[in-house]
C-alpha cells in the first residue's frame, strides 16, 4: 500500500500534501490531496473527506475553498481525492462531453462496459482510500465525516447514506440530490449502469434518505445557481428527509451561484458542523 509524494507544503502549522498511489479498485494511479493539521503531532485526528464536482481534481478544494486555516484551528484532517480515474486506457465520454467520463466519475461503481473496469469510485472511496490514509497518516478512522459540492455533494450524501456506521457527519454544497430525475444523472447513470433503474436508485440520495433517519444533514444552496431548477432540485430531497425522519438544515441563499465563491462563503460553517460531530 505504497504512497508517492508529489509535493508537500507547510500550511497553517500543518502540511498540505499531494500524493499518488496505484489503486486496485480503479486499476489506475489515483491522486489525492491531504491536509494534516498541527494537532496530529500529538495523536490521531478526525478525518473529513471532501468530494469535488464535475471537471474538478484533487487540487480544486484545497486551492479554492479557503478551508485550511479553520481546519488547522479545529484539528481536522482534510482528504480531497480526484473526481474520477484517469490515465492511459481510461475511457472518457466518446462524445467529448464534460459531464461524463474523465472528471465525472459520479462516485459510483460502474457495471457497464467499458467503464466497469476503471470507474469504481464508490469502492475506492469507501474501502481502498480509507485504508491507504490510515496506513500513512495520523488519522482516527473511527471519526470520519464527508462533504462535497455539486456532483461531489451527490457523492457525499450517497456514501454517507449507504454507510451510516462509517460516517458520523455529512453535509453538501449545491448537491445533485435526485440524479435519477435530472439530465446530469440520467446521462451518467445510463452510461455507467445501463438502463436498469433499480441500479440507478442505489446511488440516489432522495431514494436513500431513510437510511439516515434520526440524524442530521446540512445543505447550502445558492438561489442564483443556474443549475438549481434543472439539475439540483433540493426540494425533492427536502421532502424525502421530512418523510424519513431526517433533520435536514437546508439553507437557501439569495444571490449566490454554483461556484467556489459560494463554497468559500459557507465552508467555515460546514467545518464547524463536522467538528462538533467528530
Amino acid at each position: 500500500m505504497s504512497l508517492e509524494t508529489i509535493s508537500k507544503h507547510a500550511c497553517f502549522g500543518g502540511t498540505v500534501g499531494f500524493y499518488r498511489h496505484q489503486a486496485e479498485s480503479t486499476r489506475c494511479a489515483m491522486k489525492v490531496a491531504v491536509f494534516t493539521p498541527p494537532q496530529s503531532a500529538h495523536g490521531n485526528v478526525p478525518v473529513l473527506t471532501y468530494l469535488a464536482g464535475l471537471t474538478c481534481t484533487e487540487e480544486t478544494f484545497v486551492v479554492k475553498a479557503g478551508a485550511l486555516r479553520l481546519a488547522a484551528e479545529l484539528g481536522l484532517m482534510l482528504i480531497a481525492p480526484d473526481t474520477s480515474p484517469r490515465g492511459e486506457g481510461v475511457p472518457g465520454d466518446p462524445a467529448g462531453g464534460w459531464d461524463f467520463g474523465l472528471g465525472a466519475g459520479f462516485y459510483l461503481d460502474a457495471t457497464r462496459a467499458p467503464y466497469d473496469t476503471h470507474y469504481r469510485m464508490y469502492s475506492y472511496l469507501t474501502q481502498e482510500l480509507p485504508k491507504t490514509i490510515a496506513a500513512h497518516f495520523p488519522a482516527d478512522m473511527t471519526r470520519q465525516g464527508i462533504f462535497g459540492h455539486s456532483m461531489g455533494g451527490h457523492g457525499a450524501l450517497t456514501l454517507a447514506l449507504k454507510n451510516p456506521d462509517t460516517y458520523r457527519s455529512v453535509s453538501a454544497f449545491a448537491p445533485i440530490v435526485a440524479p435519477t430525475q435530472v439530465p446530469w444523472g440520467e446521462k451518467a447513470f445510463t452510461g455507467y449502469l445501463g438502463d436498469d433503474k433499480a441500479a440507478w436508485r442505489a446511488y440516489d440520495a432522495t431514494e436513500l434518505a431513510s437510511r439516515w433517519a434520526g440524524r442530521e444533514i446540512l445543505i447550502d444552496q445558492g438561489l442564483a445557481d443556474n443549475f438549481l431548477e434543472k439539475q439540483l432540485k433540493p426540494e425533492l430531497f427536502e421532502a424525502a428527509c421530512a418523510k424519513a425522519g431526517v433533520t435536514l438544515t437546508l439553507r437557501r441563499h439569495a444571490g449566490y451561484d454554483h461556484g467556489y465563491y459560494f463554497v468559500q462563503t459557507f465552508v467555515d460553517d460546514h467545518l464547524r458542523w463536522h467538528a462538533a460531530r467528530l
Side-chain angles (χ1 to χ4, degrees):
M1 198 174 293
S2 62
L3 189 68
E4 174 192 355
T5 301
I6 299 171
S7 66
K8 196 171 181 179
H9 316 272
C11 185
F12 296 116
T15 60
V16 174
F18 296 92
Y19 305 92
R20 176 169 44 228
H21 69 115
Q22 195 66 33
E24 293 182 5
S25 49
T26 60
R27 299 188 185 181
C28 67
M30 295 295 298
K31 292 181 179 179
V32 59
V34 179
F35 173 70
T36 305
Q39 294 86 342
S40 65
H42 307 291
N44 291 351
V45 295
V47 176
L48 180 57
T49 298
Y50 176 88
L51 304 182
L54 291 163
T55 76
C56 295
T57 71
E58 74 286 349
E59 295 183 339
T60 308
F61 175 73
V62 293
V63 173
K64 290 187 174 183
L68 303 187
R69 182 191 297 272
L70 185 57
E73 179 183 321
L74 296 172
L76 293 173
M77 179 177 294
L78 298 179
I79 311 297
D82 199 353
T83 51
S84 79
R86 301 181 195 264
E88 185 177 354
V90 177
D93 186 344
W98 56 272
D99 54 358
F100 180 78
L102 301 179
F106 269 83
Y107 305 107
L108 51 74
D109 280 356
T111 56
R112 184 181 181 188
Y115 303 100
D116 55 344
T117 298
H118 298 285
Y119 285 81
R120 299 184 56 80
M121 291 296 292
Y122 178 81
S123 290
Y124 172 70
L125 290 168
T126 58
Q127 300 173 33
E128 189 168 3
L129 182 60
K131 292 178 182 178
T132 302
I133 295 299
H136 294 277
F137 297 94
D140 183 351
M141 305 308 289
T142 67
R143 293 186 289 163
Q144 289 191 70
I146 191 166
F147 67 148
H149 171 236
S150 192
M151 178 187 71
H154 144 75
L157 291 171
T158 55
L159 264 66
L161 295 173
K162 289 163 74 73
N163 299 276
D165 294 334
T166 298
Y167 300 103
R168 292 192 185 183
S169 57
V170 60
S171 70
F173 303 93
I176 306 169
V177 295
T180 62
Q181 302 183 56
V182 301
W184 275 342
E186 290 169 356
K187 177 179 179 178
F189 286 6
T190 300
Y192 293 133
L193 303 172
D195 297 326
D196 181 3
K197 298 296 179 68
W200 292 19
R201 291 193 290 272
Y203 294 103
D204 186 309
T206 296
E207 298 285 342
L208 297 168
S210 62
R211 299 193 183 191
W212 206 253
R215 299 171 70 177
E216 302 169 294
I217 297 173
L218 170 65
I219 292 177
D220 279 302
Q221 175 63 62
L223 294 180
D225 189 323
N226 59 325
F227 300 116
L228 178 58
E229 293 185 7
K230 186 176 182 180
Q231 302 283 13
L232 304 181
K233 299 184 180 296
E235 68 277 2
L236 298 178
F237 188 62
E238 188 174 34
C241 286
K243 181 179 180 180
V246 177
T247 301
L248 173 65
T249 301
L250 174 55
R251 307 191 304 183
R252 296 173 167 92
H253 305 281
Y256 286 91
D257 61 21
H258 195 70
Y260 268 81
Y261 296 117
F262 160 64
V263 173
Q264 285 182 35
T265 303
F266 300 105
V267 72
D268 283 5
D269 293 346
H270 286 247
L271 294 180
R272 291 191 174 97
W273 167 277
H274 288 278
R277 290 156 179 80
L278 297 177

